[in-house]
Amino acid sequence: MAGKTLFDKIWEKHVVANVEGGPSVLYIDRHLIHEVTSPQAFGGLKARGIKVRRPDKTIATPDHNIPTMDQHLPIHDELSRFQVNKLKENCEENGVLMYGLNHPYNGIVHVIGPELGITQPGMTIVCGDSHTSTHGAFGSIAFGIGTSEVEMVLATQCLMQSRPKTMRINVEGALQKGVTSKDIVLYIISQISTGGGTGYFVEFAGSAIRSLSMEARMTICNMSIEMGARGGMIAPDEITFEYVKGREFAPKGEAWEKAVAEWRKLPSDADAKFDKELHFKAEDIEPMITYGTNPGMGIGISGKIPSLNEVEAASVNTFKKSLDYMGYQPGDAMVGKPVDYVFVGSCTNGRIEDLRAFAAFIKGKKKADNVTAWIVPGSKQVERQALAEGIKEILEAAGFELRQPGCSACLAMNDDKIPEGKYAVATSNRNFEGRQGPGARTMLASPLTAAAAAITGVISDPRTFLS
Amino acid sequence: MSIDKFVTLESSCVPLPIENVDTDQIIPARFLKATTREGFGDNLFCDWRYDKNGNPKPDFVLNNPVYSGQILVAGKNFGSGSSREHAAWAIHGYGFKAVVSSFFADIFKNNSLNNGILPVQVTDGFLAQVFDAINENPKVLVKVDLENQTISVPAKGISEKFDINPYKKKCLINGYDDIDYLISISENIKAWEAKAEK
Ligand code: SF4
């Protein structure tokens, strides 16, 4: 019998029942909820006259719709305030733990899960948010669900799911200086397109992945949804255990030893078979930047936007529409293009390591006058750490300010909107039309490439600043 | 709770020959502050449909009276991006009952099915033929038969089979919802928990 993949092992352990000719009933270990995709689910529970089945496995945080300034004041936008209050009410009624605004553990759901040790290897984790895939970096099955499914999990702690196919993406070798895990994932998406992973659960493997920190691994799994995958995952190892150890929700003492022993059994067996396998070389990857309106439209920063004859005939119209929106021409170089805004934050690159990298890069330099920069920590804990490490002072000395945690300009539900027609280099994950505000034009990049843009005022290759 | 039943549907179509339509386009994030499922249909494709002042943009298909119907026909990779079910609510709220494309993003597909909207995945070739047929005659009827899993354009004599999970098919035909089913097996869930947690 062929060996099992990491995915198989976790999946099989969580199947409660199989529906004939249909999906599996999958047990969910952790359910994370936030204010935007849960109210209708709680409404549904009420209509059925039931309560949350396992409040002890459910954790809530408001993050999408909150201001990133003056968080001590009541939220001024009426609808946002109502939605955030609704979350609180629903959690109170159902006995669900919530880390509300100003709580020392508040933050973006995919940042706080890992940093509190809620996220652990071998678990099934869901949230009404597509970037739940982030948690897969710990060797868990984690994926985003819709609101009907949120209701399903609240009601039964289970989910009806068809078993996805498995894919392994191997990245071997060493990264060039100035190339980060964000560039790895943008590179892969540019190669396989935003639909390249649809129907699959992806395991990222290979020496380039294994050498990454947990923060960097999370960035990769975070964006697996941008290749269409159901989720992404990375086998747990010593780096994983080291990260989880001692965190608030992590097992302690004897339970810890037992847990680690189990987690060590999780990695894919040497003879495991995947439905599909892809290979990339780390040294082929440059700092990446997107030029279009989906995350697959990315190029190495020294490259050029494809010309029309390089685009598949059937996709030419979509391609043209996208470049029109961006105000770019086919064949243009990206380096030197103007930048109005820089956004550093989100569940992709709003962790302490990202702020450290940004701060180290801009230290002793000055923000370009034409650039407005929003540096938004992913959580209260990240914010506190940034203060403790002196990152705030470094930022301020260079003309930047540190805002308060939240999703912010990643999806622009709050006031942090990029104005129409303006260009933003963003460390978040989506460059869709209007994603950062109606008419906003987004270029996705790593924190280093964002830093290079922030001090030069144009798209710049971060490698030219690194000796 | 239950969803709309879906058996067969014969309707003219609204064509949207754009690829990679993401859920941010279907319903922009600023409309996600609602706490109920109602009212999203008015803002379906809002930024393509209306200008800054809220006036309909005449060149967008939903504003073109030539096209109408309960079937949305869209380019490859429809519904990618955010998991927001609000996208399915907006499509449902507007009055669509089926979406035809040559590729759907996973979460969107689930969300549609959970709201009684049938995602019909066809081949690239068939999709092109449907767009051609609509081009020739905007009122051309497309027939979706869930029981037999076929989609056809009777006037053109073309048809194709489509795939759907048999369980989901049964749910749609009968208007069932997953939660009813899961609640009905709560004893199994309890037994599973007892075993796992000991
Ligand atoms: S930071 Fe962006 S991608 Fe992440 S959860 Fe918030 S809105 Fe979603």
Side-chain angles (χ1 to χ4, degrees), chain B:
Chain B
M1 250 184 57
S2 59
I3 53 172
D4 298 348
K5 290 185 186 185
F6 191 114
V7 185
T8 58
L9 172 67
E10 189 161 16
S11 167
S12 56
C13 302
V14 175
L16 189 66
I18 300 171
E19 295 177 1
N20 306 317
V21 173
D22 58 80
T23 52
D24 272 84
Q25 305 320 313
I26 300 173
I27 186 89
R30 59 184 188 282
F31 298 112
L32 308 190
K33 296 182 183 182
T35 49
T36 66
R37 292 173 191 243
E38 281 76 45
F40 290 102
D42 294 341
N43 294 312
L44 174 66
F45 295 118
C46 186
D47 292 343
W48 287 347
R49 195 165 151 196
Y50 301 107
D51 67 17
K52 273 199 292 267
N53 306 315
N55 298 315
K57 294 186 191 174
D59 56 348
F60 187 62
V61 67
L62 293 190
N63 299 321
N64 185 342
V66 171
Y67 301 105
S68 63
Q70 296 178 313
I71 302 175
L72 177 66
V73 185
K76 182 161 81 185
N77 197 21
F78 187 82
S80 58
S82 157
S83 59
R84 60 188 68 159
E85 193 161 317
H86 313 69
W89 299 335
I91 287 172
H92 184 262
Y94 185 85
F96 290 118
K97 294 199 172 327
V99 185
V100 179
S101 175
S102 57
F103 207 74
F104 289 95
D106 271 342
I107 303 181
F108 177 79
K109 203 191 252 181
N110 279 346
N111 287 342
S112 304
L113 290 165
N114 284 333
N115 286 279
I117 303 165
L118 179 64
V120 183
Q121 186 160 325
V122 297
T123 58
D124 285 319
F126 191 81
L127 184 68
Q129 285 181 307
V130 176
F131 277 131
D132 286 346
I134 301 170
N135 240 339
E136 268 172 45
N137 171 14
K139 296 277 171 252
V140 71
L141 295 179
V142 168
K143 190 171 168 190
V144 180
D145 177 346
L146 179 56
E147 186 64 56
N148 294 306
Q149 295 177 225
T150 55
I151 172 168
S152 57
V153 189
K156 302 295 272 179
I158 55 169
S159 100
E160 191 169 88
K161 277 258 185 210
F162 63 86
D163 266 349
I164 180 167
N165 179 295
Y167 166 80
K168 279 292 175 193
K169 176 174 169 179
K170 205 161 92 192
C171 288
L172 274 182
I173 290 178
N174 297 302
Y176 290 160
D177 112 359
D178 287 342
I179 302 180
D180 298 333
Y181 171 78
L182 287 177
I183 291 175
S184 78
I185 62 158
S186 32
E187 285 309 313
N188 301 36
I189 301 174
K190 246 189 237 158
W192 190 93
E193 281 173 329
K195 216 171 86 200
E197 284 167 15
K198 78 160 188 263

Side-chain angles (χ1 to χ4, degrees), chain A residues 34 63-64 108-111 127 129-132 134 222 226 343 345-349 406-413 428-430 435, chain B residues 82 84:
Chain A
H34 62 85
D63 55 0
H64 281 63
I108 303 173
V109 61
H110 311 310
V111 176
C127 171
D129 185 283
S130 53
H131 292 99
T132 310
T134 313
N222 174 277
E226 262 62 62
F343 168 59
S346 87
C347 60
T348 315
N349 284 122
C407 292
S408 180
C410 174
L411 91 165
M413 267 190 87
S428 45
N429 44 53
R430 285 181 177 149
R435 170 78 178 185
Chain B
S82 157
R84 60 188 68 159

Side-chain angles (χ1 to χ4, degrees), chain A residues 162-176:
Chain A
S162 302
R163 188 173 181 147
K165 291 181 284 185
T166 55
M167 183 192 302
R168 180 158 62 188
I169 298 184
N170 302 280
V171 189
E172 299 287 352
L175 291 172
Q176 299 174 35

